[in-house]
Amino acid sequence: MANQPPVVSFQGVEKRYGNGPLILDGINFEAQRGDFISLIGPSGCGKSTILKLISALSPISSGKIIVDGMSPEAAMEEMFFVFQEPTLLPWLTVAANVAVPMRLRGVSQKRDEIVAKSLAMVGLAERANYYPRQLSGGQKMRVSIARALSVSPRILLLDEPFGALDEMTRDHLNEELLSIRQQQAWTAFFVTHSVAEAVFLSNRIFVLSANPGRLYQEVKVDLPYPRTEETRQSASYQHLVGEVSKLLRSVERLQGAAKTAATA
């Protein structure tokens, strides 16, 4: 994998909105195919902005981004963005919601078969004819993920998709997401505020600092896949959770010192 060209490359990327302050400053990294990268850091550090830059939802101010050898704009159909909210269309059934991206991309061949397979992967095959109002919060997010899987993305961008769910549901969906990843070898960028979630899912964690957002430190997660509840109980997992939490506290102290200096 290391000898292959990176699937995503950030080269000195900066981002500001209009004439406002820098949101991101000097972001450099390379993501290899199959990486699961979690972005974690204080509010305002630019985690979601990085996903928007990869997906071409927002332009960079300077620097360069390469996605699978192309510009983000040229690579848009290789990616899918899963937002914090499921964003389902309430007047469509679960199956029809999953089919929306394929309709937008003009995919008609085997569409029903792909929808059925995608729903089966997230455990909702029996709810294909339900409407969003008939689903729980966790089930709605499963539909959102099935919608992403329906177009077989090479890169999956997830912006705190489980942030509003209770801990038990979140843990279960984390396990399901990794199970799906074994079947569809996409590269993932995952925004979260949960250290435990980042460690459980990822092989790499980017800890960001804020004002402006910078890559403070990368943490390699060498825990073997597949990961299960036993993973969460292991000493190695608990140690990594502690290490990432310590880095976040360091970032917070730096921010506090910077604010004090600015007002002195």
Side-chain angles (χ1 to χ4, degrees):
M1 182 182 293
N3 295 325
Q4 296 178 358
V7 66
V8 175
S9 174
F10 271 49
Q11 302 170 17
V13 171
E14 294 185 353
K15 174 64 181 178
R16 70 172 77 237
Y17 292 100
N19 296 319
L22 271 177
I23 305 300
L24 293 170
D25 181 27
I27 303 294
N28 294 284
F29 68 80
E30 291 186 345
Q32 302 300 325
R33 197 167 305 284
D35 273 343
F36 198 118
I37 296 173
S38 283
L39 307 172
I40 195 164
S43 296
C45 69
K47 301 183 294 293
S48 297
T49 299
I50 287 176
L51 300 193
K52 291 175 183 176
L53 298 181
I54 295 171
S55 62
L57 291 178
S58 182
I60 62 174
S61 300
S62 65
K64 189 175 185 180
I65 299 177
I66 302 173
V67 180
D68 214 10
M70 299 175 277
S71 68
E73 292 80 8
M76 286 180 68
E77 290 207 353
E78 299 197 8
M79 300 179 269
F80 202 94
F81 205 124
V82 179
F83 295 93
Q84 294 178 19
E85 298 296 328
T87 62
L88 304 180
L89 300 176
W91 59 88
L92 294 181
T93 64
V94 164
N97 266 287
V98 173
V100 166
M102 288 187 286
R103 291 183 182 277
L104 292 175
R105 297 185 184 193
V107 177
S108 57
Q109 190 174 12
K110 297 185 177 180
R111 188 161 60 202
D112 291 345
E113 179 182 331
I114 293 170
V115 167
K117 182 179 179 181
S118 299
L119 286 173
M121 290 179 100
V122 299
L124 288 178
E126 76 284 0
R127 286 176 167 77
N129 294 319
Y130 281 41
Y131 287 87
R133 65 179 180 275
Q134 298 172 289
L135 304 177
S136 68
Q139 289 169 339
K140 289 176 184 177
M141 190 51 68
R142 282 187 173 95
V143 177
S144 183
I145 292 171
R147 186 171 53 190
L149 301 177
S150 72
V151 292
S152 299
R154 301 181 74 172
I155 301 168
L156 196 56
L157 308 169
L158 304 107
D159 191 358
E160 288 196 85
F162 309 138
L165 303 177
D166 63 84
E167 186 175 359
M168 185 177 296
T169 302
R170 176 188 287 208
D171 287 350
H172 186 57
L173 287 177
N174 286 169
E175 293 169 23
E176 285 190 357
L177 187 63
L178 291 184
S179 177
I180 293 167
R181 178 172 171 258
Q182 288 184 281
Q183 302 173 60
Q184 293 192 346
W186 25 260
T187 302
F189 288 85
F190 189 96
V191 169
T192 181
H193 280 96
S194 168
V195 173
E197 182 172 57
V199 172
F200 184 80
L201 291 171
S202 315
N203 68 309
R204 301 169 68 187
I205 298 172
F206 291 171
V207 180
L208 300 173
S209 58
N211 302 317
R214 296 189 176 103
L215 182 51
Y216 179 71
Q217 191 162 324
E218 177 181 346
V219 178
K220 299 286 181 65
V221 182
D222 294 326
L223 301 173
Y225 290 100
R227 296 178 186 168
T228 63
E229 182 56 34
E230 286 69 30
T231 302
R232 294 190 179 93
Q233 304 304 321
S234 70
S236 297
Y237 172 82
Q238 298 292 341
H239 174 74
L240 282 165
V241 169
E243 288 299 304
V244 177
S245 297
K246 189 184 300 182
L247 286 171
L248 285 176
R249 288 194 293 271
S250 296
V251 168
E252 290 169 359
R253 283 195 295 270
L254 285 173
Q255 279 191 262
K259 287 180 181 178
T260 300
T263 56

